Structures are given as C-alpha cells and as structure tokens.
Amino acid sequence: VQVYVPGDSAARSVGADLMAERLAAVAAAAGRPVQVVRTGSRGMLWLEPLIEVETSAGRVGYGPVAPEDVDGLVAAGLLDGAAHELGVGLVEELPWMRRQQRLTFARVGIVDPRSADDHLAHGGTAGLRAALELSPADVVEQVVESGLRGRGGAGFPTGVKWRTVLGAQADQKFVCCNADEGDSGTFADRMLMEGDPFILIEGMTIAAHAVGATEGYIYIRSEYPDAVATMTAAIETARERRWLGERILGSELTFELHVRVGAGAYICGEETSMLESLEGKRGTVRPKPPIPALAGLFGKPTVVNNVLSLASVPTILTGGAAAYAALGTGRSRGTSVFQLGGNVRRGGIVETAFGITLGELVESFGDGTASGRPVKAVQVGGPLGAYLPADRFDLPMDYEAFAEAGAMLGHGGVVVFDDTADMTAMARFAMEFCAEESCGKCTPCRVGAVRGVETIDRIRRGEDRAANFELLEDLCELMTDGSLCAMGGLTPMPVRSALRHFAKDFGVEAAG
Ligand code: NAI
Ligand code: SF4
C-alpha cells in the first residue's frame, strides 16, 4: 500500500516526521507494510499532519493525525481507506481543493519532490521541451502574451523584463531567482520549493534559453533550511538527468544552477540588495537605474524573478499563452497563489484565477477567524501592505483594483485579525519593522521610521495629538516620496490605511 505524508517544513513543524515513523512501524507490525512517500503539503494547513492513502477511487485523507492516533487509525482500516472521525474523504474532492485552479501548484502535495521519475510521470519537463522547440524571442513573446506579471509583489510584466535582457548585448547573462520571501504571512515560495523543486528549475532553464543566460542562482533565506536541502538535491538530480548543465535535453543549451543562502535580512529580498549579497557584499540597495535587466549580477544583464513567477512559466509553455491569459481579470492574468494566515480557521495555500474577492478568500476558504470573533482587519501584501476592513471584502484580488483602494496585492499574503486587534499598535509595528529592517542607505527610511515609532507612541499616549497627527502625515509623505526603495517607500501604506479605516482606534472620527 502506498501512503503519503507531507515532509515539508509546515507538516514537520506539527510532528509529521514522528507520525510517519509511527505509521510505518504500526503498519508493519499489523502485517501490512507500507511505503510512506513524503510529499509536499497540499496547503490545507489545518489538516497537517495529513495522511493520504492510495485507493482505487483516489487518495483518501486523514488529518490532523498525531502519532498517538496512528494505532487506532490502522486498526480501523486506514490502509483500506476506511471511514474514521479523522477521515476527510477523497482529498481531490474536498471543496477547498475543487474550488482552486492549481497550475503552478498542480504537483505540490502529490509528487515526491526528490523523485525525477515522479516529476516526469506528472508531466514534468514538458514545458522545457516545448520551450526548446522555440527560438528565444518566441519564448519571450509567449510569456508576454500570457500576461504573466511578477509574483514577487511589484507585478511588472515578466515577458517585458525578459525581452529587455534578451535585447542586451553582453558576454554573459544570468538568471537569479529571488527566494528570500521575507514578507510576514507569505510562505508560497517555500512550499513550492519544498513540494515541487523541479518546476522551479524548469522555469529558470526556460528563462535561460529565452534570454541567453548560462548561469543561474537561487537566493534562499537561511530561515528555510528544508527548502535549501530540497532545492540542492533537486539540482543535483537534474544535472544527472541532463535537465541542467551542458546540452540540456540534447539541445544546444548550457545552463548551470546554484543555490546561495542569505543570512537573514529582509532587505536582501529587494532585488538589488540580493544581487549585492550574491556578489558577496553587504546587502544594501543600489540606486536604479540601471535596472538589473541591463546591469545586474556582476554588472551583467540579469533576469531577477520571484520563485512563483519562474515556476508559472512551464505551465504557460505547455498549456499555451492564450489559455493562461484567458484566466483572471483586467490586467491581472492567470492564477495567483494566495496565502491565508493569521487569525483564520483554515489557513494555507489557495491558487485561483485573479478576480476572486478578498471576502471569498477570508470567509469561504478561510472560514472566518480561528477565534470565532468578527474579522476586524485583513492585511494583504506583507508587512508593507494595507490593512483593510471587512467592508472592503468586495475588493477583487487584482493589482489595479488594490492600487485604487490604496492597497497592494504584493506577494499574495492575506493575514486576518479579529476585533481585539489594536490598530494603533499595528501602525506602530509597521514603523518599528522598518526601523529594524532598514538597510540604512537613505535618510527618509533610516531616520523617518525611528521618528515614526516615537510619533505614534506620543499619539497613543494622547500627547499633543493634533500636532503629532500632522507630523505623522508629514513623515509618511516624506518616506513615500523620498525613500530609495520600497522598504521605506511602502511603510506608510499600513500606517495610513490603519488611520483611514480604523480612525476610532486612534480616538478620532476620521483622519489620514
Ligand atoms: P519595481 O517596480 O521597482 O520593479 C519591479 C521589477 O521590474 C524589478 O525587477 C525591476 O528591475 C523591473 N523593471 C522595472 N522597469 C523595467 C524595465 N523597463 N525593463 C525591465 N525590467 C524592469 O519594484 P521593486 O522595488 O522591485 O519591488 C517592490 C515590491 O516588492 C513591492 O510592491 C512589494 O510588494 C514587494 N515585496 C515583496 C516581498 C516578498 O517577500 N516577496 C518583500 C517586500 C516587498
Ligand atoms: Fe535602505 Fe530604507 Fe533607503 Fe530602502 S528605503 S534604500 S531599505 S534605507
């Protein structure tokens, strides 16, 4: 009997390793030895650790399973997919799964991330093979036509970025994958790398073919040791299979790929800081221009893309740009991987076409707050994203709709707060986070954030409120307009949104 237990860090953090060991031992003792395949997580985090058992009807799930549940489960017929109070039925049929459109995450939770054969058995390398049939310029145009925009947060059209790199003349070009994923409340990059590392390798190799790059780096934060191990092993396997290295899949393409581990600074997720760090220097922001597409790693033209942007590309090449572009809304095409977290009953990964509303995500997928209290605020797009009240649940998940509402989609993190949240504390946290993580290169951010914390503290203590509100607004304006990068430039977004939507917490009728 084949059984599946996620082996990614989300499942391991809630005891999946011990449970999997126990399962193998109990099944063997019962005379029914099992092969436990460690997959990535399906992204239904409230069910972890989840066991899936292969049956003739499909995979039947049980979760969350503690080691002490295993004996009873096996005795009750788990290995035959029998009913049990921890049973959830056919995993693919769960409403949470059925209502998603998993393209980038299609294989995550299903395949063994260490197995190249499993990758092939589930359609792996089809995207790369399709790309190698096309000229670099045609691959670039496919990506342009798909409408794919940077999933790291800024939403810049990926194909247009690649076109710039393709057009640049240089003796060497690079592809760099930004896997620093520093935003609180985001974990999709990690879950993809731990659940389907080969799709990222494939996406990067397609990018290398498209722009004429020979070398690539995946920059992973040190807080992700499991992702580092999974990616490193997958690169080794890909080399053995000739999916990397010289004459990839028998073509003329040569592409070498390396993993580099960051030391744990939020600012190293900013692309130019990441490049500095990759060059072995301290991670501080470079002024733009020049853009990395023209002068990036070691001064050479460089594609810098987020994990999810690159991992979306193989699907575009296999399914066709038009099919990808047919999904979504407005200028936000295709699917996006949203991450539900914070005070939410059902947190995890939701991949759907753009255009789903914020309310559907929080209420329908998330099933409301974990505390059972009313939702007060949702922060979308990481610690630099806006706080939105429940009366903005009608907002579609769409780059432009969010920008119009004074918010941003960012990397797709959705963090829920109930009515006990003090929004003055959340506004303070934004400034404090910026003060802590500022690279120090420019004054509006380095000094502004510290003054911001002090000013919000005075407002919270009720000191000279009119003057301090004015000062805070002044600071926000200065940081927005005068900062060198998005760290200082976006910190005012959560502060202003807290003031605008939750003025009562600040003791005023309306402000901001
Ligand atoms: P940006 O708008 O300056 O640039 C976006 C991308 O487009 C960059 O790669 C840039 O080099 C490229 N680009 C711009 N013009 C181009 C052109 N003409 N040709 C080719 N490429 C061009 O935004 P930035 O500063 O890179 O990113 C800011 C965003 O990062 C924020 O909106 C935020 O959502 C996100 N962010 C994400 C985090 C995460 O953990 N994923 C953490 C913090 C922020
Ligand atoms: Fe550094 Fe902040 Fe200036 Fe960005 S805004 S360059 S993080 S000091």
Side-chain angles (χ1 to χ4, degrees), residues 70-146:
V70 170
D71 291 72
L73 270 166
V74 171
L78 164 116
L79 299 177
D80 302 307
H84 187 274
E85 57 181 11
L86 291 176
V88 297
L90 289 170
V91 173
E92 305 273 351
E93 297 300 320
L94 290 172
W96 169 277
M97 295 298 294
R98 280 181 69 87
R99 284 173 33 229
Q100 299 191 37
Q101 283 156 299
R102 291 198 166 195
L103 300 181
T104 309
F105 266 67
R107 278 184 286 259
V108 176
I110 296 174
V111 295
D112 175 353
R114 276 158 299 269
S115 166
D117 289 335
D118 217 5
H119 184 64
L120 279 177
H122 288 84
T125 74
L128 176 57
R129 286 174 203 275
L132 290 172
E133 296 287 313
L134 300 176
S135 71
D138 285 345
V139 175
V140 169
E141 289 322 305
Q142 284 284 302
V143 179
V144 172
E145 276 172 34
S146 74

Side-chain angles (χ1 to χ4, degrees), residues 267 285 437-442 445-446 483-485 487-489:
I267 199 58
V285 175
E437 295 290 347
S438 167
C439 83
K441 187 142 179 169
C442 68
C445 165
R446 184 186 66 244
S483 297
L484 188 57
C485 83
M487 169 90 247

Side-chain angles (χ1 to χ4, degrees), residues 324-346:
Y324 193 79
L327 300 169
T329 177
R331 288 183 49 230
S332 306
R333 310 309 315 175
T335 61
S336 192
V337 182
F338 301 109
Q339 301 123 81
L340 279 181
N343 191 341
V344 68
R345 204 188 307 266
R346 297 184 162 186

